């Protein structure tokens, strides 16, 4: 299994559909209303089996080199996902997408570390030269809220 350990707390790994689907689905289910405001897929995901199928699809895309979707693990627990969407090998760039929900994961610098880890993978393993960071409005709003408090 592909895994990238950023530090003692945060690591990225390829999804394990049989093991990760329930935990990731539970995160989405707990925050569906919030996620759905910004991420259209949140309303389309209706069960852990749907999540499992999605994770299998991401592994297929990884196998073809079209994208890289990683589970963000905090102390070995799945807490969200980060990805290179649509890797453009010709122009050596990609877009980054991610989600992390749940108040219990705020103020731990998890997403910063996860994106830094993904960028490291992009530069060293994929020879990407340019990344386009597509931050969801949800994450931006959370960052702004945290900065104001």
């Amino acid at each position: 299994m592909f895994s990238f350990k950023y530090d003692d707390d945060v690591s990225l790994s390829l999804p394990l559909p049989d093991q990760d689907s329930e935990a990731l689905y539970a995160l989405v289910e707990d925050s569906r209303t919030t996620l759905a405001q910004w991420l259209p897929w949140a309303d389309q995901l209706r069960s852990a089996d749907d999540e499992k199928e999605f994770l299998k699809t991401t592994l297929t895309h990884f196998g073809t080199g079209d994208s890289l979707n990683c589970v963000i693990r905090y102390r070995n627990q799945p807490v969200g996902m980060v990805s290179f969407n649509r890797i453009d090998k010709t122009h050596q760039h990609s877009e980054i997408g991610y989600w992390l929900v749940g108040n219990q994961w705020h103020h731990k610098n998890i997403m910063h570390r996860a994106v830094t880890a993904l960028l490291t993978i992009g530069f060293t393993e994929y020879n990407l030269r340019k990344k386009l960071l597509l931050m969801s409005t949800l994450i931006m709003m959370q960052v702004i809220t945290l900065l104001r408090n």
Side-chain angles (χ1 to χ4, degrees), residues 1 27 33 42 53-54 61 64 69 76 83-84 86 112 114-115 129 140 145 148:
M1 175 183 76
L27 289 171
T33 303
E53 290 307 309
F54 167 74
H61 292 169
T64 60
N69 291 263
N76 296 316
S83 61
F84 283 131
R86 296 179 297 274
H112 172 81
V115 170
R129 301 285 179 231
M140 283 302 297
T145 301
R148 287 183 182 162

Side-chain angles (χ1 to χ4, degrees), residues 55-103:
L55 296 177
K56 288 178 182 179
T57 300
T58 68
L59 292 175
T60 300
H61 292 169
F62 170 72
T64 60
D66 293 330
S67 68
L68 171 63
N69 291 263
C70 297
V71 175
I72 302 168
R73 298 184 188 281
Y74 181 74
R75 298 182 179 166
N76 296 316
Q77 178 180 351
V79 296
M81 293 192 74
V82 63
S83 61
F84 283 131
N85 301 322
R86 296 179 297 274
I87 296 172
D88 183 335
K89 297 171 203 142
T90 304
H91 298 101
Q92 296 178 294
H93 69 82
S94 183
E95 301 167 348
I96 296 174
Y98 56 80
W99 63 270
L100 175 76
V101 292
N103 289 333

Side-chain angles (χ1 to χ4, degrees), residues 131-146:
K131 280 83 176 169
L132 303 174
L133 186 58
L134 297 179
M135 296 175 66
S136 74
T137 307
L138 170 64
I139 299 296
M140 283 302 297
M141 290 179 65
Q142 289 175 342
V143 169
I144 291 167
T145 301
L146 292 174

